[in-house]
Structures are given as C-alpha cells and as structure tokens.
Amino acid sequence: MTPVLEVRNLVTRFHTEDGIVHAVNGISYSVEAGETLAVVGESGSGKTVSALSIMGLLPDPPGRVEEGEAILDGRNLLGLSRAEWRKVRGRKVAMIFQEPMTSLNPVLSIGYQLTEGLRRHLKLTRNEAKARAEEMLALVGIPNPRARLSDHPHQLSGGQRQRVMIAMALSCGPSVLIADEPTTALDVTIQAQIVNLVEGLQKKLGMAIIWITHDLALVAGLAHRVAVMYAGYIVEEALVGEIFRHPRHPYTQGLLRSMPKLDGPREERLDSIRGQPPELKEPFRSCPFAPRCSHGVDTCRQVRPELQEVGRGHTVACWRWDELAEDSKQGGAS
C-alpha cells in the first residue's frame, strides 16, 4: 500500500544561546491508512519535536527544520508557507496535544473553538457548523452535547476536555492524526476510555494515527508498528508483536524490563536503565546509547550504527543486535 504520510530524513535543531541542540537526527518512517504507528521513548528523545516539525508548529526561533521531507498527498509539508498550512492543518493532518487545558482557549466557548475550523475548512454556514460540532461531541461521548457547546474549558473535567480536543482534531476528517501522549494527565480509567474511543473512531474513519508515548504497556494493545526513539534517532522499528517478543536493541530491551508484569511476584523490583539520557549539544559520532549500555564494546564507542534490517519489517541500529537477539530468546528482555 502507498503510505498516507512518509517522513524522510527529518532533521530538527534548536539554535540557543548555549549552542545548537540536535533534537531530531535524520529520522524516517511512514504510516498507512487505518494503521497506528507508536513512537516510543523517554522524555527528550525527540518524539514531540518530530511531531511539531511535521505539523509546522515548531517555535521558530529557536527551532528549525534543517533537512528532510514529510510527504502527504504528494506535497512536502515541510515546505508549506503559513497560508498553505492554514488550509492543511486540521483538514489533512491534525494533532491532539498532551494537556488540553493549555491547548484550548480558556476565554472562548467550546462551540466557538469547534466551529471555527469547520467553517474555515469545510465552508459550512454557522448553523451547519454548530450542528456538526454537536454531532462530533456526541461521537466522542460528551453527554448533552448541545448544552456543552456554550461551556468554557474550565467547566469540563480533564477527560471531557481531552474528548473535546479529539472532536476538534477529527471534525474535518483528516487523513492523519498525531496524538502526543493524549492520556498522560488522565487517570487509568479515563485513559482506557480515550484509547478505546480513538481506536473506534479510527476503524470508522480509516485514518492513519501516529501515537506518541513513553508507555510501552499502552502500545501493546493499540499500535500496529512501533518506532523506538533515543537521543533524536530511531534505534528500532518493527511490528508491535515483534518488538515485544524479539527486541533487538538494548534500549528497547531496557524499556521492556522496566514494565511491571501482571504475572510477576508482588515483591519483584522493576529494572531501570542506568545513567541519564545524553545532552544533545553535539552530533553523535558513536552510538548515543553506549554510555548507558552494559553490552557496549569499543566499536559502539567509536562509530554510530545505522539502521539495518534484521528481519521482515524489523530494523535496528545496534552493532551487537545478533548477540542480543539470543539473549532475548532466553528471556533477557522479559
């Protein structure tokens, strides 16, 4: 199938008073209609910056997309002008942000914020846009949607605000939805409701989803494929089942070992990945994970590995992936 969105060699830098921050370092991936790609990694790995770059929402200055393409419907999103972006953002590609209270305008009603995009992109009349907004609120499970249109964000619960954000993102029928940790600020029950809601809407609308998260447990039941990011690089990508059964990169293995196990003993302590994520002030000429890796050898500290295919649809950037593969078979990543 032809990808709906194809990201090629995306490079993003922040030019600050303290130097250049190499936030995203040449990542590439694609996503097809009806597919969910999970982008996973610690805070600071470049997940959100890559999404903001694709959406044309990177703060400039200090952020700047310096290389790459993001091809949607034959157009490079990274080359659009502000006027062109106003026609595309929300209509072709939309984004749900992590904290709806800071994404919704506190002084404007829910109805106004929902109908603004509908009138701009779909050229609906005021009454048509209001009816569509009410329909979208009902679709995402907001009770008494007509009355909610006149409410302001502070009058809704956290879960309801996130549902409003989803309704806004989906109201114009985008081809691609980017969800940036949309359940992080919610309790577990509401998280599950939001995930189920997005999954149901995806099946109904057939859109592609890029789901950004640090929670591998969430990914297990949500995504089709997983891209693991570290220090601005994709270090492993595979089908979700393959990632859980046969992780090849030591960072991926570490993330999996840090997950609580439902069938494990209560007193079992979770493993952690030693050390801290690196500063991104210099480009990496060696493996960025080498200082934290217990499997590292001299080559790891001298030459940065490129992504290589190690199985069907499975790529990894590690010099010792074949040896680690044997470890994972013996339970090293369980």
Side-chain angles (χ1 to χ4, degrees):
M1 292 180 63
T2 302
V4 177
L5 175 68
E6 187 171 5
V7 177
R8 304 170 184 165
N9 193 38
L10 177 64
V11 175
T12 301
R13 304 279 185 258
F14 287 91
H15 296 261
T16 72
E17 293 181 356
D18 296 326
I20 299 175
V21 178
H22 297 74
V24 179
N25 300 300
I27 68 169
S28 300
Y29 60 78
S30 62
V31 60
E32 298 177 355
E35 181 185 33
T36 298
L37 171 69
V39 180
V40 177
E42 295 170 280
S43 296
S45 62
K47 307 184 304 296
T48 295
V49 172
S50 63
L52 293 175
S53 300
I54 293 167
M55 289 291 298
L57 294 174
L58 197 68
D60 182 9
R64 186 187 306 163
V65 176
E66 301 201 340
E67 291 182 42
E69 297 177 310
I71 306 300
L72 177 68
D73 291 339
R75 304 174 71 187
N76 180 15
L77 299 180
L78 305 184
L80 298 183
S81 66
R82 290 188 178 183
E84 290 171 325
W85 257 121
R86 283 194 287 270
K87 298 177 182 178
V88 172
R89 191 185 298 120
R91 181 66 183 94
K92 296 291 185 179
V93 56
M95 189 167 179
I96 307 170
F97 297 93
Q98 184 174 147
E99 178 44 69
M101 199 58 190
T102 58
S103 303
L104 294 169
N105 192 318
V107 301
L108 298 177
S109 70
I110 297 301
Y112 181 90
Q113 295 183 67
L114 271 167
T115 57
E116 183 182 23
L118 290 166
R119 297 186 68 187
R120 175 189 299 164
H121 293 301
L122 302 185
K123 309 303 181 185
L124 302 183
T125 66
R126 187 182 301 274
N127 288 336
E128 289 171 339
K130 184 176 180 180
R132 172 69 172 167
E134 184 179 335
E135 177 187 338
M136 291 304 301
L137 289 182
L139 186 65
V140 299
I142 296 288
N144 196 9
R146 180 172 297 180
R148 296 285 78 78
L149 290 176
S150 59
D151 284 349
H152 287 71
H154 72 273
Q155 295 175 273
L156 305 180
S157 68
Q160 287 176 328
R161 288 194 293 267
Q162 196 59 282
R163 288 171 187 267
V164 169
M165 287 294 298
I166 294 170
M168 289 177 64
L170 300 182
S171 60
C172 296
S175 303
V176 179
L177 175 69
I178 300 176
D180 184 13
E181 305 209 42
T183 63
T184 297
L186 306 175
D187 66 54
V188 175
T189 302
I190 303 300
Q191 283 184 20
Q193 292 175 3
I194 295 297
V195 169
N196 290 337
L197 170 64
V198 173
E199 284 185 307
L201 292 173
Q202 180 185 39
K203 291 176 182 177
K204 182 175 181 179
L205 302 174
M207 62 191 169
I209 295 177
I210 299 171
W211 192 289
I212 297 169
T213 183
H214 63 274
D215 187 352
L216 268 173
L218 175 68
V219 164
L222 173 70
H224 300 93
R225 286 187 300 121
V226 181
V228 181
M229 286 194 70
Y230 185 80
Y233 297 90
I234 291 178
V235 296
E236 186 163 12
E237 182 178 349
L239 293 173
V240 64
E242 181 73 3
I243 283 285
F244 277 85
R245 288 191 297 269
H246 305 301
R248 297 296 192 246
H249 197 282
Y251 179 61
T252 310
Q253 293 181 354
L255 291 177
L256 289 168
R257 284 195 297 267
S258 68
M259 288 172 52
K261 305 173 186 64
L262 293 177
D263 57 352
R266 290 186 179 180
E267 66 275 8
E268 182 181 18
R269 296 185 64 181
L270 300 179
D271 287 342
S272 60
I273 301 174
R274 65 179 186 176
Q276 298 292 327
E279 291 190 8
L280 305 177
K281 297 295 182 65
E282 298 289 339
F284 287 94
R285 293 179 173 83
S286 60
C287 175
F289 190 63
R292 305 176 70 186
C293 183
S294 58
H295 303 280
V297 294
D298 287 344
T299 304
C300 306
R301 293 181 280 272
Q302 295 168 359
V303 184
R304 183 176 60 82
E306 299 288 343
L307 280 171
Q308 59 180 307
E309 190 166 356
V310 299
R312 186 176 181 182
H314 192 163
T315 58
V316 66
C318 179
W319 291 117
R320 303 191 64 197
W321 69 266
D322 50 347
E323 299 165 66
L324 298 177
E326 196 60 37
D327 289 347
S328 70
K329 287 180 183 177
Q330 298 172 6
S334 62

